Amino acid sequence: MIRFKAIAIASSTALTLSAGAISNAQAAEPIIIGGGSTTGVYYQVALHVCNLVNKHMGKKYNCVGRPALGSVFNINAVKRGLLDFGVAQSDRNSQAWNGEANWKKKGKIKELRSVFSAHPETVLLVARADSGIKSVADLKGKRVNIGNPGSGQRGNAKDVIRIYKLKGLRAQGLQQGQASRSLIDKKIQAFFYTVGNPSAAIEEPANSTAIRLIAINSAAIKKFVSSRPYYVMTTIPANTYKGVGYPVETYAVKATVVTSSKVPAQKVYDVVKTVFEHLDELKKAHKAFRILNPKDMMKGLTAPLHAGAAKYYKERGWMK
Ligand code: GLU
């Protein structure tokens, strides 16, 4: 977190200096959007939303999309004002707003505001083909990455482990970039990752070793999914990843973009307007964004809409 602050200060100093050098020039307002690991899709959201803002909003903003530690980190960093916007799973959005799971002790994040939803994310269990892992039950005794503290997937992995009543798993807490590398290097036999498809975090190991995607679809999982509004069962189509020529059933969430009630309405309005007026450009920026459409992008949000986002949706007649 300290690193974030230092970067924010450093970049605003640079802006002040360059603005001073050009007389009469107005300093661009900084916007920082936090994503996830560089191999995931959140980072692509942060990067490409910022690209659109920097391209289409004149010199009003200097938007920077940064890699970050994932959903839980992003929500907490948005609350603390270290990030203007963060990408977070819809289940975490709901839990933070309601003071559940990671926020049970800390309490509700009252400042949390929704902006829009992005791509769907699947709860993936990726194993080395030579590990003998063919089902969730086979994880017993294996070295398995469940995600770094601060990631969204860590909570999903823990739910799956609990629901399958798995014992004796040697859980690791690596960040995803390292986890993909460790799978290739045989340091772990499997990892959990909740991510949009296709993701470089799975493509990298799939392209250099034989992997298996494991179904997460027991009756107990289906019951759990149907009892939570933010989960749905889904199927990852065959051949989404090299060597995985079969469909895989698991459950899914949505990636949501969140902010704080303290971020000015104009800033949020400008970002939202830019995204929706140039949605075609965003859709072309990454394969996971191809299915984005305004109707779905207003679903899966638990925390109330930020006033700046609501203003734009009302103007478009998308809400009353
Ligand atoms: N869903 C993951 C998380 O919440 C991040 C996935 C990504 O970076 O695309 O931490």
Side-chain angles (χ1 to χ4, degrees), residues 250-308:
T250 183
Y251 65 106
V253 293
K254 272 182 125 184
T256 70
V257 174
V258 299
T259 188
S260 157
S261 54
K262 296 195 176 121
V263 173
Q266 188 65 45
K267 196 183 251 190
V268 178
Y269 175 87
D270 285 342
V271 169
V272 170
K273 185 175 162 117
T274 306
V275 164
F276 284 98
E277 300 211 336
H278 304 281
L279 194 58
D280 283 345
E281 273 182 69
L282 187 62
K283 287 168 70 165
K284 285 183 204 141
H286 190 274
K287 278 186 193 162
F289 303 157
R290 280 190 296 208
I291 54 161
L292 293 183
N293 65 78
K295 207 169 143 222
D296 288 339
M297 289 170 81
M298 292 180 64
K299 286 185 191 153
L301 306 167
T302 306
L305 278 177
H306 189 284

Coordinates of all heavy atoms in Angstrom, one line a residue, residues 250-308:
T250 N -18.1 -25.3 -14.2 CA -17.7 -24.7 -12.9 C -18.7 -23.5 -12.6 O -19.8 -23.5 -13.2 CB -16.3 -24.2 -12.9 OG1 -15.9 -23.7 -11.6 CG2 -16.0 -23.1 -14.0
Y251 N -18.4 -22.7 -11.7 CA -19.3 -21.5 -11.4 C -18.6 -20.2 -11.7 O -17.3 -20.2 -11.9 CB -19.9 -21.6 -10.0 CG -19.0 -21.5 -8.8 CD1 -19.0 -20.3 -8.1 CD2 -18.2 -22.5 -8.4 CE1 -18.3 -20.2 -6.9 CE2 -17.5 -22.4 -7.2 CZ -17.5 -21.2 -6.5 OH -16.7 -21.1 -5.4
A252 N -19.4 -19.2 -11.8 CA -18.8 -17.9 -12.3 C -19.3 -16.7 -11.5 O -20.4 -16.8 -10.8 CB -19.2 -17.7 -13.7
V253 N -18.5 -15.6 -11.5 CA -18.9 -14.3 -11.0 C -18.7 -13.3 -12.1 O -18.5 -13.7 -13.2 CB -18.0 -13.9 -9.8 CG1 -18.2 -14.9 -8.6 CG2 -16.5 -13.9 -10.2
K254 N -18.9 -12.0 -11.7 CA -18.6 -11.0 -12.7 C -17.5 -10.1 -12.2 O -17.4 -9.9 -11.0 CB -19.9 -10.2 -13.0 CG -20.7 -10.7 -14.0 CD -21.9 -9.9 -14.3 CE -22.0 -9.5 -15.7 NZ -23.1 -8.5 -15.9
A255 N -16.7 -9.6 -13.1 CA -15.8 -8.5 -12.7 C -16.6 -7.2 -12.6 O -17.4 -6.9 -13.5 CB -14.7 -8.4 -13.7
T256 N -16.4 -6.5 -11.5 CA -17.1 -5.2 -11.4 C -16.1 -4.1 -11.2 O -15.0 -4.3 -10.6 CB -18.1 -5.2 -10.2 OG1 -17.4 -5.2 -9.0 CG2 -19.0 -6.4 -10.3
V257 N -16.4 -2.9 -11.6 CA -15.5 -1.7 -11.4 C -16.2 -1.0 -10.2 O -17.3 -0.6 -10.3 CB -15.3 -0.9 -12.6 CG1 -14.5 0.4 -12.3 CG2 -14.6 -1.7 -13.7
V258 N -15.4 -0.7 -9.2 CA -15.9 0.0 -8.0 C -15.1 1.2 -7.7 O -14.0 1.4 -8.2 CB -15.9 -1.0 -6.8 CG1 -16.8 -2.2 -7.0 CG2 -14.5 -1.4 -6.4
T259 N -15.7 2.1 -6.9 CA -15.1 3.3 -6.5 C -15.6 3.7 -5.1 O -16.2 2.9 -4.5 CB -15.3 4.5 -7.6 OG1 -14.5 5.6 -7.2 CG2 -16.8 4.9 -7.6
S260 N -15.2 4.9 -4.7 CA -15.6 5.3 -3.3 C -16.6 6.5 -3.5 O -16.5 7.3 -4.4 CB -14.4 5.8 -2.6 OG -14.8 6.7 -1.5
S261 N -17.5 6.6 -2.5 CA -18.4 7.7 -2.5 C -17.7 9.1 -2.5 O -18.2 10.1 -2.8 CB -19.4 7.6 -1.3 OG -18.6 7.5 -0.1
K262 N -16.4 9.0 -2.0 CA -15.6 10.3 -1.9 C -15.0 10.7 -3.2 O -14.5 11.8 -3.3 CB -14.5 10.0 -0.9 CG -15.1 9.8 0.5 CD -14.1 9.9 1.6 CE -14.7 9.8 2.9 NZ -14.2 8.7 3.7
V263 N -15.0 9.9 -4.3 CA -14.5 10.3 -5.6 C -15.6 11.2 -6.2 O -16.7 10.9 -6.2 CB -14.2 9.0 -6.5 CG1 -13.8 9.4 -7.9 CG2 -13.1 8.2 -5.8
P264 N -15.1 12.4 -6.7 CA -16.1 13.3 -7.3 C -17.0 12.8 -8.4 O -16.5 12.0 -9.2 CB -15.2 14.5 -7.8 CG -13.9 14.3 -7.2 CD -13.7 12.9 -6.8
A265 N -18.2 13.2 -8.4 CA -19.2 12.7 -9.4 C -18.7 13.0 -10.8 O -18.9 12.2 -11.7 CB -20.6 13.3 -9.1
Q266 N -18.1 14.1 -11.0 CA -17.7 14.5 -12.4 C -16.7 13.5 -12.9 O -16.7 13.1 -14.1 CB -17.1 15.9 -12.4 CG -16.8 16.5 -13.8 CD -18.1 16.6 -14.6 OE1 -19.1 17.2 -14.2 NE2 -18.1 16.2 -15.9
K267 N -15.7 13.1 -12.0 CA -14.7 12.2 -12.5 C -15.3 10.8 -12.9 O -15.0 10.2 -13.9 CB -13.7 12.0 -11.3 CG -12.4 11.3 -11.7 CD -11.5 11.1 -10.4 CE -10.3 12.1 -10.4 NZ -9.3 11.7 -9.4
V268 N -16.2 10.3 -12.0 CA -16.9 9.0 -12.3 C -17.7 9.1 -13.6 O -17.7 8.3 -14.4 CB -17.7 8.6 -11.1 CG1 -18.4 7.2 -11.4 CG2 -16.8 8.4 -9.9
Y269 N -18.5 10.2 -13.7 CA -19.3 10.5 -14.9 C -18.4 10.4 -16.1 O -18.8 9.8 -17.1 CB -20.0 11.8 -14.7 CG -20.8 12.2 -15.9 CD1 -22.1 11.8 -16.1 CD2 -20.2 13.0 -16.9 CE1 -22.9 12.2 -17.2 CE2 -21.0 13.4 -18.1 CZ -22.3 13.0 -18.2 OH -23.0 13.3 -19.3
D270 N -17.3 11.2 -16.1 CA -16.4 11.2 -17.3 C -15.9 9.9 -17.7 O -15.9 9.5 -18.9 CB -15.3 12.2 -17.0 CG -15.7 13.7 -17.0 OD1 -16.8 14.0 -17.6 OD2 -14.9 14.5 -16.5
V271 N -15.5 9.1 -16.7 CA -15.0 7.7 -17.0 C -16.1 6.8 -17.6 O -15.9 6.2 -18.6 CB -14.4 7.1 -15.7 CG1 -14.1 5.6 -15.9 CG2 -13.1 7.8 -15.3
V272 N -17.3 6.9 -16.9 CA -18.4 6.0 -17.4 C -18.8 6.4 -18.8 O -19.0 5.6 -19.7 CB -19.6 6.1 -16.4 CG1 -20.8 5.5 -17.0 CG2 -19.2 5.5 -15.1
K273 N -18.9 7.7 -19.0 CA -19.4 8.2 -20.3 C -18.3 7.8 -21.4 O -18.7 7.3 -22.5 CB -19.4 9.7 -20.3 CG -20.0 10.4 -21.5 CD -20.2 11.9 -21.3 CE -20.2 12.5 -22.7 NZ -21.4 13.2 -23.0
T274 N -17.1 7.9 -21.1 CA -16.0 7.5 -22.1 C -16.1 6.1 -22.4 O -16.0 5.6 -23.5 CB -14.6 7.9 -21.5 OG1 -14.6 9.2 -21.1 CG2 -13.5 7.6 -22.5
V275 N -16.3 5.2 -21.3 CA -16.4 3.8 -21.6 C -17.6 3.4 -22.5 O -17.4 2.7 -23.4 CB -16.4 3.0 -20.2 CG1 -16.9 1.6 -20.4 CG2 -15.1 3.1 -19.5
F276 N -18.7 4.0 -22.1 CA -19.9 3.6 -22.9 C -20.0 4.2 -24.3 O -20.5 3.6 -25.2 CB -21.2 3.8 -22.1 CG -21.4 2.8 -21.0 CD1 -21.0 3.0 -19.7 CD2 -21.9 1.5 -21.4 CE1 -21.1 2.0 -18.7 CE2 -22.0 0.5 -20.4 CZ -21.6 0.8 -19.1
E277 N -19.4 5.4 -24.5 CA -19.4 6.0 -25.8 C -18.3 5.4 -26.7 O -18.4 5.6 -27.9 CB -19.2 7.5 -25.7 CG -20.4 7.9 -24.9 CD -21.1 9.2 -25.0 OE1 -20.6 10.2 -25.4 OE2 -22.3 9.1 -24.6
H278 N -17.4 4.6 -26.1 CA -16.4 4.0 -26.9 C -16.3 2.5 -26.6 O -15.2 1.9 -26.7 CB -15.0 4.7 -26.7 CG -15.1 6.2 -27.0 ND1 -15.0 6.7 -28.2 CD2 -15.3 7.2 -26.1 CE1 -15.2 8.0 -28.2 NE2 -15.3 8.4 -26.9
L279 N -17.4 1.9 -26.3 CA -17.5 0.5 -25.9 C -16.9 -0.4 -27.0 O -16.3 -1.4 -26.7 CB -18.9 0.1 -25.5 CG -19.1 -1.2 -24.8 CD1 -18.3 -1.2 -23.5 CD2 -20.5 -1.4 -24.5
D280 N -17.1 0.0 -28.3 CA -16.7 -0.8 -29.4 C -15.1 -1.0 -29.3 O -14.6 -2.0 -29.6 CB -17.1 -0.3 -30.7 CG -18.6 -0.6 -31.0 OD1 -19.1 -1.5 -30.3 OD2 -19.2 0.0 -31.9
E281 N -14.5 0.1 -28.9 CA -13.0 0.1 -28.8 C -12.6 -0.8 -27.7 O -11.6 -1.6 -27.9 CB -12.5 1.5 -28.5 CG -12.2 2.3 -29.8 CD -11.6 3.7 -29.4 OE1 -10.4 3.7 -28.9 OE2 -12.3 4.7 -29.5
L282 N -13.3 -0.7 -26.6 CA -13.0 -1.6 -25.4 C -13.2 -3.1 -25.8 O -12.3 -3.9 -25.4 CB -13.8 -1.2 -24.2 CG -13.5 -1.9 -22.9 CD1 -12.0 -1.5 -22.4 CD2 -14.5 -1.5 -21.8
K283 N -14.3 -3.3 -26.5 CA -14.6 -4.7 -26.8 C -13.5 -5.4 -27.7 O -13.2 -6.6 -27.6 CB -15.9 -4.8 -27.6 CG -17.1 -4.6 -26.6 CD -18.4 -4.4 -27.4 CE -18.9 -5.6 -28.0 NZ -20.3 -5.5 -28.4
K284 N -12.8 -4.5 -28.5 CA -11.7 -5.1 -29.3 C -10.4 -5.2 -28.6 O -9.5 -5.8 -29.1 CB -11.5 -4.1 -30.5 CG -12.6 -4.2 -31.6 CD -12.3 -3.3 -32.7 CE -13.6 -3.0 -33.5 NZ -13.7 -1.6 -33.9
A285 N -10.3 -4.6 -27.4 CA -9.0 -4.6 -26.7 C -8.6 -5.9 -26.1 O -7.4 -6.1 -25.9 CB -9.0 -3.5 -25.6
H286 N -9.5 -6.8 -25.8 CA -9.2 -8.1 -25.2 C -10.3 -9.1 -25.5 O -11.5 -8.7 -25.5 CB -9.0 -8.0 -23.7 CG -8.4 -9.2 -23.1 ND1 -9.1 -10.3 -22.7 CD2 -7.1 -9.5 -22.8 CE1 -8.3 -11.2 -22.2 NE2 -7.1 -10.8 -22.3
K287 N -9.9 -10.3 -25.8 CA -10.9 -11.3 -26.2 C -12.0 -11.5 -25.1 O -13.2 -11.7 -25.4 CB -10.3 -12.7 -26.4 CG -9.7 -12.8 -27.8 CD -9.2 -14.3 -28.0 CE -8.3 -14.4 -29.2 NZ -7.5 -15.6 -29.2
A288 N -11.6 -11.3 -23.8 CA -12.6 -11.5 -22.7 C -13.7 -10.4 -22.7 O -14.7 -10.5 -22.1 CB -11.9 -11.5 -21.4
F289 N -13.4 -9.3 -23.5 CA -14.3 -8.1 -23.5 C -15.3 -8.2 -24.7 O -16.2 -7.3 -24.8 CB -13.6 -6.8 -23.6 CG -12.6 -6.6 -22.5 CD1 -11.5 -5.7 -22.7 CD2 -12.7 -7.2 -21.3 CE1 -10.6 -5.5 -21.7 CE2 -11.8 -7.0 -20.3 CZ -10.7 -6.1 -20.5
R290 N -15.2 -9.2 -25.6 CA -16.0 -9.2 -26.8 C -17.5 -9.2 -26.5 O -18.3 -8.7 -27.3 CB -15.6 -10.4 -27.7 CG -14.3 -10.2 -28.5 CD -14.1 -11.2 -29.5 NE -13.9 -12.5 -28.8 CZ -13.1 -13.5 -29.3 NH1 -12.6 -13.3 -30.5 NH2 -13.0 -14.6 -28.7
I291 N -17.9 -9.8 -25.4 CA -19.3 -10.0 -25.1 C -19.9 -8.8 -24.3 O -21.1 -8.9 -23.9 CB -19.6 -11.3 -24.4 CG1 -18.7 -11.4 -23.1 CG2 -19.4 -12.5 -25.3 CD1 -19.2 -12.4 -22.2
L292 N -19.1 -7.8 -24.0 CA -19.6 -6.7 -23.2 C -20.8 -6.0 -23.9 O -20.7 -5.8 -25.1 CB -18.5 -5.7 -22.9 CG -17.3 -6.1 -22.0 CD1 -16.4 -4.9 -21.8 CD2 -17.8 -6.7 -20.7
N293 N -21.8 -5.7 -23.1 CA -22.9 -4.9 -23.7 C -23.5 -4.1 -22.5 O -23.5 -4.6 -21.3 CB -24.0 -5.8 -24.4 CG -24.6 -6.7 -23.4 OD1 -25.5 -6.3 -22.7 ND2 -24.2 -7.9 -23.4
P294 N -24.1 -2.9 -22.8 CA -24.6 -2.1 -21.7 C -25.5 -2.7 -20.7 O -25.5 -2.5 -19.5 CB -25.2 -0.9 -22.4 CG -24.5 -0.8 -23.7 CD -24.2 -2.3 -24.1
K295 N -26.4 -3.5 -21.2 CA -27.5 -4.2 -20.4 C -26.8 -5.0 -19.3 O -27.1 -4.9 -18.1 CB -28.4 -5.0 -21.3 CG -29.8 -5.2 -20.7 CD -30.7 -5.8 -21.7 CE -31.7 -6.7 -21.0 NZ -31.9 -7.9 -21.7
D296 N -25.9 -5.9 -19.7 CA -25.2 -6.8 -18.7 C -24.3 -6.0 -17.8 O -24.0 -6.4 -16.7 CB -24.5 -7.9 -19.5 CG -25.4 -8.9 -20.1 OD1 -26.5 -9.0 -19.6 OD2 -25.0 -9.6 -21.0
M297 N -23.7 -4.9 -18.3 CA -22.8 -4.1 -17.6 C -23.4 -3.4 -16.4 O -22.7 -2.8 -15.6 CB -22.0 -3.2 -18.5 CG -21.0 -4.0 -19.4 SD -20.3 -2.9 -20.7 CE -19.0 -2.1 -19.7
M298 N -24.7 -3.4 -16.4 CA -25.4 -2.7 -15.3 C -26.0 -3.8 -14.3 O -26.6 -3.5 -13.3 CB -26.5 -1.8 -15.8 CG -25.9 -0.7 -16.5 SD -27.2 0.4 -17.2 CE -27.9 1.0 -15.6
K299 N -25.6 -5.1 -14.5 CA -26.1 -6.2 -13.7 C -24.9 -6.6 -12.8 O -23.7 -6.4 -13.1 CB -26.5 -7.3 -14.5 CG -27.9 -7.1 -15.2 CD -28.3 -8.4 -15.9 CE -29.5 -8.2 -16.8 NZ -29.5 -9.1 -17.9
G300 N -25.2 -7.3 -11.7 CA -24.2 -7.9 -10.8 C -23.6 -6.9 -9.9 O -22.5 -7.2 -9.3
L301 N -24.2 -5.8 -9.7 CA -23.6 -4.8 -8.8 C -24.4 -4.7 -7.5 O -25.6 -4.5 -7.5 CB -23.7 -3.4 -9.5 CG -23.1 -3.3 -10.9 CD1 -23.5 -2.1 -11.6 CD2 -21.6 -3.5 -10.8
T302 N -23.7 -4.9 -6.4 CA -24.5 -4.9 -5.1 C -24.4 -3.5 -4.4 O -25.4 -2.9 -4.0 CB -23.9 -5.9 -4.1 OG1 -24.0 -7.2 -4.7 CG2 -24.7 -6.0 -2.8
A303 N -23.1 -3.0 -4.3 CA -23.0 -1.6 -3.7 C -23.8 -0.7 -4.5 O -23.9 -0.8 -5.8 CB -21.5 -1.3 -3.6
P304 N -24.4 0.4 -3.9 CA -25.1 1.3 -4.8 C -24.3 2.0 -5.8 O -23.1 2.1 -5.7 CB -25.6 2.4 -3.7 CG -24.9 2.0 -2.4 CD -24.3 0.7 -2.5
L305 N -25.0 2.4 -6.9 CA -24.2 3.1 -8.0 C -23.7 4.4 -7.5 O -24.3 5.1 -6.7 CB -25.2 3.4 -9.1 CG -25.5 2.3 -10.1 CD1 -26.5 2.8 -11.1 CD2 -24.2 1.8 -10.8
H306 N -22.5 4.7 -7.9 CA -21.9 6.1 -7.6 C -22.8 7.1 -8.3 O -23.3 6.9 -9.4 CB -20.5 6.2 -8.1 CG -19.8 7.4 -7.6 ND1 -20.0 8.6 -8.2 CD2 -18.9 7.6 -6.7 CE1 -19.3 9.5 -7.6 NE2 -18.6 8.9 -6.6
A307 N -23.0 8.3 -7.7 CA -23.9 9.3 -8.2 C -23.4 9.7 -9.7 O -24.3 9.9 -10.5 CB -23.8 10.5 -7.3
G308 N -22.2 9.7 -9.9 CA -21.7 10.1 -11.3 C -22.0 9.1 -12.3 O -22.3 9.4 -13.5

